[in-house]
Amino acid sequence: MDLKSGYPYWAVSNGLMYAFPRLEADARCDVAIIGGGVTAALIADALIEDGHEVVVLEQRDIGWGSTAASTALLQYESDVTLGDLARQYGLTEALKSYRASAETIGQLEALSRRLRDVGFERVHSVYYASRAWHRRKLRSEFDLRAEHGFDVEWLGPEELLERFGFRAPAAIVSTPAASIDPYRLTHRLFRALQGQGAQVFDRTCVERIEPSARKVDLVTGDGLRVRAGHVVVAAGYASQQWLDRRFASNRSSYAFISDPLDPDVLASLRRTVMWETARPYLYLRTTPDCRVIVGGEDDAVDIPARRDGRVGKKAGKLMEKLSGLFPQLQPLIPAFSWAGTFAETKDGLPFMGANAQWGPRVLFAMAYGGNGITYSMVGRDLIRAAIKRRQHPLAALYSFDRMR
């Protein structure tokens, strides 16, 4: 599955950081992970910490799928608001999801300190009303979060202009939030896990999953077998190929990154991530070297050739929107622009755990939605709990059963 097009900045700026081998012989392990992106890396880290023997199998190069195309805004806020989630599943469940995601920011910071040099920065998240009539619902969302202890601040038009340099009817400013280099995080984490005994293979395509009562066999395109006690499918948006029912819709999102800007001009946006109430929404962040990453213009295109052909035009539209918000940033020329496939669930939540089609030894880590990295951090603890046959407080909410 071709998951991206154009030139994702992270892969270009970092290059091929480390060389990982192909699988050349049969193998055995406690847990085999299908996928070599950021979700797989975070789960592998948790399993190695628990003392499991882990084998990772990635069909491309490590980190070269959706991870390379991610803009990596780290937020606890879902694409579905806390209020809407509460109306669908009840306030208790909605709060559990939001609070668990909020806790991951500190966990990712601790991991980044251990790995070093992965571009982690603490930031403010600015969620602004795209239209005047969005203000009322946004205020209700603010009140609900404030009532339940989230660190949020309400800003009106004048305050937004003064503090962040753009005009909008209102916004919620929240913490914790952060940004990171997802490609670098993935490579450095897998490299560290190799030193702890993990076997990491890329350019190794799994063609069959053969579960039984006590083990699971994976068969590669070269006819090699990996026998494991459990398998975790963490192949990003390609994970759905293993399911006989679709649980999410694939969409395309577009992005560009600027050349480095004058720090004084960029001052109001440094250490800030932004997104809006409109759907599909514009989103942006900055980088440590004073670039701006802008994304959005999502569409339902899931054909790589068509998506490829739209990158330039979509980048132009994103520049127009950014110019409308921040005319002081002009002239602005994209250094690189790209598109990536992502999956969108109806409720904005991920799927983590077993699926009835495959039985209890095959677990899925489908961190779908706009905040996949934070969902992956929650999901790694859910996956490790499932392997240990322990209950996790979010197991039911993030299970496939909720869509019955």
Side-chain angles (χ1 to χ4, degrees), residues 14 112 163 169 172 212 240 271 275 286 290 302 345 372:
N14 288 302
S112 298
R163 283 182 52 181
I172 299 172
S212 62
Q240 293 191 91
R271 297 187 180 275
W275 58 310
T286 60
C290 293
D302 191 23
T345 60

Side-chain angles (χ1 to χ4, degrees), residues 207-333:
E207 292 197 345
R208 296 201 309 276
I209 302 175
E210 299 176 351
S212 62
R214 295 187 177 182
K215 47 87 177 175
V216 185
D217 280 356
L218 300 180
V219 183
T220 73
D222 295 328
L224 299 173
R225 285 184 175 267
V226 176
R227 178 160 294 180
H230 288 83
V231 165
V232 179
V233 182
Y237 311 117
S239 297
Q240 293 191 91
Q241 69 179 313
W242 298 106
L243 298 170
D244 56 13
R245 173 188 166 191
R246 293 193 69 81
F247 288 87
S249 300
N250 282 359
R251 297 176 61 81
S252 292
S253 190
Y254 302 82
F256 76 83
I257 187 168
S258 72
D259 285 324
L261 301 173
D262 184 333
D264 292 334
V265 173
L266 199 61
S268 64
L269 285 179
R270 283 293 294 125
R271 297 187 180 275
T272 302
V273 298
M274 286 177 49
W275 58 310
E276 63 176 329
T277 55
R279 295 294 185 270
Y281 54 85
L282 180 79
Y283 51 95
L284 65 89
R285 56 163 288 193
T286 60
T287 64
D289 61 344
C290 293
R291 299 173 187 264
V292 178
I293 300 176
V294 184
E297 284 296 305
D298 302 357
D299 58 34
V301 172
D302 191 23
I303 301 172
R306 288 182 59 197
R307 183 190 62 208
D308 293 354
R310 294 187 175 198
V311 171
K313 185 176 180 180
K314 293 281 190 173
K317 289 184 177 180
L318 290 172
M319 278 196 297
E320 289 177 11
K321 290 183 177 181
L322 184 67
S323 299
L325 278 176
F326 298 101
Q328 66 270 31
L329 297 182
Q330 299 307 305
L332 190 68
I333 300 173

Side-chain angles (χ1 to χ4, degrees), residues 118-245:
V118 294
F120 181 93
E121 287 190 318
R122 286 270 188 169
V123 301
H124 290 91
S125 173
V126 180
Y127 184 37
Y128 67 92
S130 309
R131 305 285 184 270
W133 56 273
H134 293 179
R135 188 180 187 278
R136 182 176 179 180
K137 183 176 180 181
L138 189 66
R139 181 70 202 202
S140 296
E141 177 71 8
F142 168 81
D143 291 340
L144 184 61
R145 290 198 215 169
E147 179 185 353
H148 292 282
F150 291 93
D151 186 358
V152 289
E153 182 181 5
W154 180 260
L155 296 187
E158 295 80 12
E159 296 164 305
L160 268 175
L161 183 59
E162 181 181 353
R163 283 182 52 181
F164 295 101
F166 76 101
R167 298 180 184 276
I172 299 172
V173 179
S174 62
T175 55
S179 58
I180 204 166
D181 179 334
Y183 184 82
R184 196 166 188 82
L185 169 67
T186 299
H187 269 262
R188 289 184 70 85
L189 183 50
F190 272 134
R191 183 65 170 169
L193 293 176
Q194 277 187 319
Q196 298 174 56
Q199 299 183 70
V200 183
F201 302 101
D202 62 14
R203 293 158 294 141
T204 301
C205 183
V206 175
E207 292 197 345
R208 296 201 309 276
I209 302 175
E210 299 176 351
S212 62
R214 295 187 177 182
K215 47 87 177 175
V216 185
D217 280 356
L218 300 180
V219 183
T220 73
D222 295 328
L224 299 173
R225 285 184 175 267
V226 176
R227 178 160 294 180
H230 288 83
V231 165
V232 179
V233 182
Y237 311 117
S239 297
Q240 293 191 91
Q241 69 179 313
W242 298 106
L243 298 170
D244 56 13
R245 173 188 166 191

Side-chain angles (χ1 to χ4, degrees), residues 2-43:
D2 183 357
L3 296 173
K4 64 186 185 309
S5 52
Y7 297 94
Y9 172 68
W10 309 118
V12 172
S13 63
N14 288 302
L16 185 60
M17 294 181 63
Y18 303 109
F20 295 91
R22 289 169 55 99
L23 181 69
E24 300 288 355
D26 294 347
R28 290 176 177 265
C29 59
D30 297 327
V31 185
I33 300 175
I34 301 174
V38 65
T39 300
L42 292 171
I43 290 171

